[in-house]
Amino acid sequence: MEKNFFCEGVDKAPQRSLFNALGMTKEEMERPIVGIVSSYNEIVPGHMNIDKITEAVKLGVAMAGGTPIVFPAIAVCDGIAMGHQGMKYSLVTRDLIADSTECMALAHHFDALVMIPNCDKNVPGLLMAAARVNVPTVFVSGGPMLAGHVKGHKTSLSSMFEAVGSYNAGKFTLDDVDEFENKACPTCGSCSGMYTANSMNCLTEVLGMGLRGNGTIPAVYSERLKLAKHAGMAVMELLKKNIRPRDIMTEEAFKNAIAADMALGCSTNSMLHLPAIAHECGIDLDLELVNEISERTPNLCHLAPAGPTYMEDLNEAGGVYAVLKELLDAGLINGDCLTATGKTVAENVKNAVNRDPKVIRPIDDPFMPNGGIAVLRGNLAPDTCVVKRSAVAPEMLKHEGPARVFDSEEDAIAAIRGGKIVAGDVVVIRYEGPKGGPGMREMLNPTSAIAGMGLGSSVALITDGRFSGATRGASIGHVSPEAALGGNIALVHEGDMIAIDINAHSIELKVSDEELAERRKTWTPREPKITSGYLARYASLVTSANRGAVLEIKK
């Protein structure tokens, strides 16, 4: 194996003197130096175990002949940030993580990297960094939480949020809420349903950047420590073969990820993150491709919040590889894509078995004949919007109702909890997009309030913001262009009729073009909500949700 960049030559003596200051031996200096990007912290439940994962990765790297060096990445807990100003800081950390990791990796000239993420923006942020740095890289996540158990049923964080809605509707007592509070989230790990963190960890496996089990082995299982050691060993093999992230994350790999997304029923946030990761790989991932792939890819899994199964169940059923085997055998994914194992997708899944057809439906007996996510377009969202179709009640796949318009999440929640939203309504929450928010807050509080009030199968919600993966129901987000940019969502009036047809990929504001043109004459841009600090800088650079809310320097 080649020696590292710093180990030879008098011109590198100053750097070696600083390695000596670290207590590094000559033998360590001569080995490849592998950066271990640890997202460990003590505030995010999905990250509190990453110190142990990090130590296991270091051991794997060392066993395979490398010198592991740890540096940190930040992570925000979306659940803790939910419902207050903190949520404005969730999505924006994705780019902060990518930027800071790029800086650390290139400034210190690491030969290879192992990324250890777990939660929502932390995973895509590190995938974006991996594409930028483009040295041999393997991912191993912190793993999912086990499901909770309340009143004889498995539960998760979405159950907790909906319990609050049920209490506000008079359906739960304080004792009921207290039981959920103490039992819904029983272990460390990323929240136990197919929410954004687990969606992205599974899709990391599909993209080929993580080893088998990356998305599904529970955080508390010893098997995850073994996985971490193997990840450390695997990156050394990639280094020997000079296999880099952009060799793995090809256009075909992203198409595989979209197909798996449809089969797994992943979070709508994947429609922000996959285009952003592809962008860093030099690939333009058009959201129109999503509907094309969705129409031919059946939905095979209904994990929470769409159904009663959880990540631990998917793991026992065979995990992501079992889903990929179903798709490969049906000719729905490309088996030739290279992965972090050094093998192709087809080679990886050759012996995968679906052990529980109730959790992973066979390809000829799916939950739905088409994919879990649909991209809609119409005069209300000329540049598209998205919905998690697999979590929508059948009766809400087609809906028409009067708009109930709110210019902030807080105003909408007050109306929902105050009983002012009734069956048939279409709640519109605007000025919450990437620029208008700024930061594109998740709307788990209002969607959970709607579900908790018993309106989940009769009320739709539309926003230029986004949703937690824990959201269920006819929740349509990422409306582009957003209100802050003068998109038509800014022109909706109270009582306007809105028609939604999810299977037809249509969303229409039943107002004439002439009337919209008249309304536009009196519309004026809003003053920015935040004018200083990181959020202001973010708002000045961020693009629309349909482009992945990536940052671009305005020319």
Side-chain angles (χ1 to χ4, degrees), residues 395-417:
E395 57 268 33
M396 288 298 291
L397 290 170
K398 190 171 185 178
H399 178 76
E400 183 169 330
R404 305 299 309 280
V405 184
F406 305 94
D407 288 348
S408 73
E409 177 188 3
E410 289 82 0
D411 290 347
I413 291 171
I416 296 165
R417 291 178 177 169

Side-chain angles (χ1 to χ4, degrees), residues 206-411:
V206 178
L207 281 170
M209 292 298 292
L211 305 183
R212 182 175 190 167
N214 178 72
T216 60
I217 297 172
V220 295
Y221 283 14
S222 298
E223 190 67 25
R224 183 151 292 274
L225 296 177
K226 296 179 184 179
L227 178 69
K229 292 172 187 175
H230 284 131
M233 297 177 203
V235 81
M236 298 305 293
E237 286 299 311
L238 293 184
L239 184 58
K240 287 178 185 176
K241 297 174 181 177
N242 195 29
I243 297 174
R244 299 168 181 254
R246 292 195 188 188
D247 300 323
I248 294 172
M249 291 192 287
T250 62
E251 186 171 354
E252 287 301 308
F254 280 101
K255 289 179 181 178
N256 283 354
I258 293 172
D261 190 323
M262 298 304 120
L264 287 163
C266 292
S267 162
T268 51
N269 281 314
S270 64
M271 295 297 102
L272 281 174
H273 300 322
L274 288 177
I277 300 161
H279 176 76
E280 298 294 348
C281 295
I283 298 167
D284 182 15
L285 203 62
D286 191 336
L287 286 187
E288 292 296 338
L289 183 64
V290 173
N291 283 341
E292 179 187 325
I293 293 174
S294 179
E295 288 311 297
R296 63 173 183 260
T297 308
N299 176 229
L300 305 181
C301 301
H302 261 192
L303 285 88
T309 53
Y310 294 81
M311 296 305 296
E312 62 198 66
D313 302 309
L314 178 60
N315 187 62
E316 292 302 317
V320 171
Y321 274 28
V323 175
L324 292 180
K325 183 68 160 55
E326 293 279 355
L327 297 177
L328 182 66
D329 288 349
L332 295 171
I333 59 172
N334 185 331
D336 296 330
C337 292
L338 188 62
T339 73
T341 65
K343 299 177 181 179
T344 66
V345 169
E347 290 172 320
N348 285 344
V349 307
K350 181 180 178 181
N351 297 317
V353 175
N354 180 357
R355 302 191 202 97
D356 191 343
K358 293 180 181 178
V359 176
I360 305 171
R361 289 279 189 92
I363 204 82
D364 57 358
D365 183 29
F367 284 102
M368 298 191 309
N370 40 31
I373 289 177
V375 174
L376 314 184
R377 191 189 289 272
N379 68 345
L380 188 56
D383 292 340
T384 71
C385 55
V386 301
V387 61
K388 188 170 182 175
R389 173 166 46 190
S390 60
V392 178
E395 57 268 33
M396 288 298 291
L397 290 170
K398 190 171 185 178
H399 178 76
E400 183 169 330
R404 305 299 309 280
V405 184
F406 305 94
D407 288 348
S408 73
E409 177 188 3
E410 289 82 0
D411 290 347

